[in-house]
Amino acid sequence: MTATYRYAGVRYLVDDVQAAVDFYTTHLGFTLNSSAAPAFADVVRGPLRLLLSGPASSGARATPADVSGAGRNRIHLIVDDLDAEIARLRAAGLSFRGEVVAGPGGRQILLPDPAGNLVELFQPRS
C-alpha cells in the first residue's frame, strides 16, 4: 500500500448514527468530520478518525451475517485525570461498564457508547 492518510480509522457499527455523533462530540472531545446521517458519519480526535456506520451503510452491509454483538475490542483514549473524567461523565448522565481497574501501566474504565461499543478511558501511571 502506498497511500498516505492523515488519520488512523476505526469503524464502529452503530444503530443510531446521530446519537453516536452526539455522544462522541459532546462527551469525548471529538469533532464532526462529515455526516451522511442516518447512514454514516465520521468524527475525529487527534489522529483518530472514528467511522460511525449505521445499519444502511456500506460498512455495516459488508459485515457477514453471522458476526453479531460487540467484540472485546475498543478504542483507547488517554486522559490526564481519570477520576475527574469519571465524575464529569457521570454528572452528564453516563454510566460505565464495571469499575476502575488498576494495573502496572495505569488505571482504566470502560464507557459504552449509545450502541454498546466500548471506549477505554486510560490514565497512565506517572
Side-chain angles (χ1 to χ4, degrees):
M1 298 181 134
T2 59
T4 303
Y5 297 96
R6 182 175 168 193
Y7 302 110
V10 174
R11 183 180 309 279
Y12 268 176
L13 302 180
V14 300
D15 49 5
D16 183 331
V17 171
Q18 191 58 54
V21 167
D22 293 345
F23 173 83
Y24 286 100
T25 59
T26 300
H27 301 296
L28 298 177
F30 284 78
T31 58
L32 180 64
N33 190 49
S34 68
S35 178
F40 171 85
D42 65 315
V43 293
V44 295
R45 177 179 160 169
L48 174 61
R49 178 178 176 225
L50 189 55
L51 307 147
L52 303 169
S53 297
S57 71
S58 59
R61 291 191 320 265
T63 304
D66 63 342
V67 176
S68 64
R72 294 176 57 93
N73 300 314
R74 55 196 181 239
I75 61 171
H76 171 93
L77 301 179
I78 296 175
V79 300
D80 292 327
D81 184 339
L82 184 62
D83 296 321
E85 283 299 301
I86 292 169
R88 181 182 70 81
L89 294 167
R90 281 194 173 133
L94 301 179
S95 59
F96 295 86
R97 295 284 305 267
E99 298 298 320
V100 172
V101 174
R107 300 168 58 236
Q108 64 187 17
I109 195 165
L110 299 178
L111 175 69
D113 75 6
N117 295 302
L118 296 176
V119 176
E120 176 184 319
L121 302 178
F122 180 79
Q123 179 182 347
R125 188 173 302 275
S126 43

